[in-house]
Amino acid sequence: MATKVTPISGFQEWLPADRIAELVVLDTIREVFELHGFASINTRAMETVERLAGQGEDADKEIYGVRRLAAGPDDAGDTSMGLHFDLTVPFARYVLENSGKLTFPFRRYQIQPAWRGERPQRGRYREFIQADVDIIDVGSLPDHYEAELLLVVADVFSRLPIGEYHIHVNDRKICEGFYRGLGIEDVTGTLRIVDKLDKIGADGVRKLLLEAGCTEEQAKQCLALAEIRSNDTGFVDQVRALGVEHEMLDEGLAKLAGIIEVANEHAPGVAVADLRIARGLDYYTGTVYETMLVRDPGYGSICSGGRYDALASDGKRTFPGVGISIGVSRLLGKLITEEGLTASRETPVTVLVAVNDEDSRRDSMRVATALRARGIPTLVAPKAAKFGKQIQFADRRGIPFVWFTGADGDQVKDIRSGDQQPADAASWQPPADDLRPSLVLPETP
């Protein structure tokens, strides 16, 4: 009996060439993270719901609960587990469990799937890959790490064909200090409302602020702060011009100015001080980041994060940290699905070894073994068909070279140019650019 296949929205499943493109991106991210001194960890997919919940206004709504289908009425333990919706919360738990075995400051990177129970839509998925870097310490964390993480992301994106982008940076202490200077007591609630500015506009935010108890003047000032944006330290004078004073505001302005100065020295044109950025999760306490593609800012942030001072604590010690997360699936949804980025071939194979006839297949296998031993991805032709068909087999898959064995010596053919040369499996090497698939941008008309 035939079974109808029903697609499930909110999941990415790539065809082979696109999957290779995804792997090239992931390998690039991993390479850069390691170049900057981050060590890899892996955490479990599930956490307790108690730990996952309470990290933001909507965090509990996004949690996928996990329960065995065969669980009985007395088996309540399973219902208290949920799939993690980001990698920061499980990382904080990991640090607490392993603090006696870790060397601080601990620099970690983590590339894993996460799951969110939100409505799938453009750029948003039920299951998605994140690539995180965090630096965490015991007791206190120097501010210079907050600028360093921005530069790590800039290094990653400089190696990928993502186009022009900006990392928008703010410090929650600016907002909190400003609100307190205005006499607003519900700082967290005000942050959450202002964070909706891009979604509901200034009039919508103003209305919500008034409903939350702000005066007309306070709402006006909150919106004025949120409109300040600068690619240099000029934002400091713009905030001062609003006439609000508070010690925490001074601290936040100094920190953000330092980050922008460092960014402009090492990655000019990348960072933007944007005082509307707040981030929805409650655990952020200082610097926050969101990254937008210049050509499509409405697509939303492809990389975000921030500083958290109290997410991890064992009651005696606090482990403050700062982290930033690249939304790999979100980024590739734009580059691959919408803009046609793909890989140069649909297989990692560099060389197809032709088979003259089935009696000589072992000769072809020996060549393949020799090439693989030197790190050259190699495939033996599945059939001893006519050479034209074997070349066609390679061409359809983007395999650049076909190897021919013969009593008078072997030859290798570049099927793109037609060039054919004598070759020895013990020494032949393809051009470096052909050894592995590469990313290919769609042709522009």
Side-chain angles (χ1 to χ4, degrees):
M1 180 178 177
T3 302
K4 183 179 179 180
V5 177
T6 303
I8 302 177
S9 62
F11 297 84
Q12 287 179 332
E13 290 185 330
W14 303 117
L15 291 173
D18 297 337
R19 169 58 175 163
I20 287 178
E22 180 184 49
L23 290 175
V24 171
V25 169
L26 290 171
D27 286 346
T28 301
I29 294 171
R30 176 185 54 77
E31 179 184 358
V32 174
F33 286 174
E34 292 182 356
L35 283 172
H36 286 261
F38 292 86
S40 177
I41 69 165
N42 196 70
T43 58
R44 65 197 185 210
M46 293 188 296
E47 300 289 336
T48 63
V49 171
E50 180 182 8
R51 179 169 293 279
L52 292 171
Q55 301 298 339
E57 184 179 22
D58 298 320
D60 55 341
K61 299 177 184 177
E62 297 181 347
I63 299 169
Y64 275 116
V66 178
R67 186 174 186 271
R68 291 190 306 117
L69 291 178
D74 297 328
D75 194 0
D78 286 348
T79 60
S80 65
M81 303 297 291
L83 297 173
H84 57 235
F85 58 81
D86 74 356
L87 302 182
T88 303
V89 174
F91 172 57
R93 187 266 310 159
Y94 176 94
V95 169
L96 292 177
E97 289 186 1
N98 297 283
S99 60
K101 303 173 185 177
L102 299 175
T103 302
F104 294 95
F106 179 48
R107 303 168 67 92
R108 145 289 201 178
Y109 81 84
Q110 192 171 348
I111 303 175
Q112 282 185 238
W115 298 266
R116 288 189 181 176
E118 59 182 358
R119 182 174 64 86
Q121 53 188 297
R122 182 177 183 241
R124 294 185 178 273
Y125 308 95
R126 289 188 172 107
E127 179 184 65
F128 51 94
I129 297 174
Q130 290 188 186
D132 287 21
V133 278
D134 285 75
I135 304 172
I136 198 164
D137 211 338
V138 182
S140 63
L141 184 76
D143 294 342
H144 63 79
Y145 290 129
E146 295 166 47
E148 181 180 339
L149 286 193
L150 186 152
L151 298 180
V152 173
V153 171
D155 194 357
V156 170
F157 288 164
S158 71
R159 302 165 189 244
L160 296 175
I162 73 165
E164 189 178 358
Y165 67 95
H166 287 145
I167 303 176
H168 297 250
V169 195
N170 193 11
D171 193 302
R172 279 198 171 188
K173 291 182 178 179
I174 295 176
C175 301
E176 182 172 352
F178 190 85
Y179 299 156
R180 293 190 185 280
L182 288 173
I184 297 174
E185 295 182 0
D186 185 7
V187 171
T188 300
T190 305
L191 274 171
R192 287 174 177 168
I193 292 172
V194 175
D195 195 37
K196 298 176 181 179
L197 189 58
D198 287 334
K199 296 180 180 178
I200 64 175
D203 289 340
V205 168
R206 176 182 168 277
K207 181 179 178 181
L208 290 178
L209 288 173
L210 294 176
E211 291 175 355
C214 289
T215 66
E216 286 279 2
E217 179 61 23
Q218 287 172 333
K220 177 182 176 182
Q221 288 281 63
C222 288
L223 286 168
L225 179 72
E227 291 300 324
I228 293 175
R229 186 178 298 182
S230 173
N231 57 10
D232 55 26
T233 58
F235 68 91
V236 176
D237 291 336
Q238 295 180 57
V239 174
R240 296 296 187 204
L242 297 178
V244 178
E245 296 183 1
H246 194 277
E247 182 178 348
M248 186 177 292
L249 174 61
D250 296 339
E251 182 183 349
L253 289 172
K255 282 186 59 179
L256 184 55
I259 291 173
I260 297 298
E261 288 174 349
V262 171
N264 284 343
E265 178 181 353
H266 297 279
V270 166
V272 175
D274 187 346
L275 304 194
R276 77 172 59 190
I277 301 298
R279 305 288 297 136
L281 296 171
D282 287 347
Y283 53 68
Y284 292 122
T285 56
T287 300
V288 286
Y289 319 88
E290 287 194 351
T291 307
M292 310 292 183
L293 297 172
V294 172
R295 66 184 178 280
D296 191 0
Y299 189 68
S301 179
I302 58 170
C303 175
S304 58
R307 175 162 182 147
Y308 46 91
D309 286 306
L311 183 60
S313 175
D314 59 10
K316 296 180 180 179
R317 299 174 299 173
T318 300
F319 299 87
V322 60
I324 195 163
S325 173
I326 299 172
V328 178
S329 296
R330 186 176 181 82
L331 176 61
L332 295 183
K334 176 68 174 175
L335 298 182
I336 294 177
T337 304
E338 297 189 8
E339 298 182 349
L341 179 72
T342 189
S344 57
R345 51 189 189 256
E346 65 177 45
T347 171
V349 175
T350 305
V351 179
L352 176 76
V353 183
V355 177
N356 299 331
D357 52 55
E358 290 303 329
D359 290 339
S360 64
R361 177 172 289 276
R362 289 188 178 182
D363 294 335
S364 299
M365 293 175 66
R366 292 187 189 100
V367 170
T369 298
L371 293 174
R372 292 173 188 144
R374 294 190 298 105
I376 302 172
T378 306
L379 177 67
V380 176
K383 295 181 180 180
K386 294 180 178 180
F387 285 154
K389 288 188 175 181
Q390 295 189 56
I391 291 173
Q392 188 179 62
F393 176 92
D395 184 47
R396 286 176 174 173
R397 290 156 180 79
I399 301 171
F401 297 97
V402 176
W403 191 286
F404 302 100
T405 61
D408 297 329
D410 295 355
Q411 295 201 355
V412 65
K413 181 184 185 71
D414 184 334
I415 63 173
R416 299 162 299 183
S417 66
D419 181 58
Q420 186 166 321
Q421 300 288 339
D424 183 347
S427 58
W428 180 82
Q429 192 72 23
D433 290 344
D434 289 327
L435 187 59
R436 296 285 185 271
S438 58
L439 296 176
V440 176
L441 291 168
E443 295 183 6
T444 55

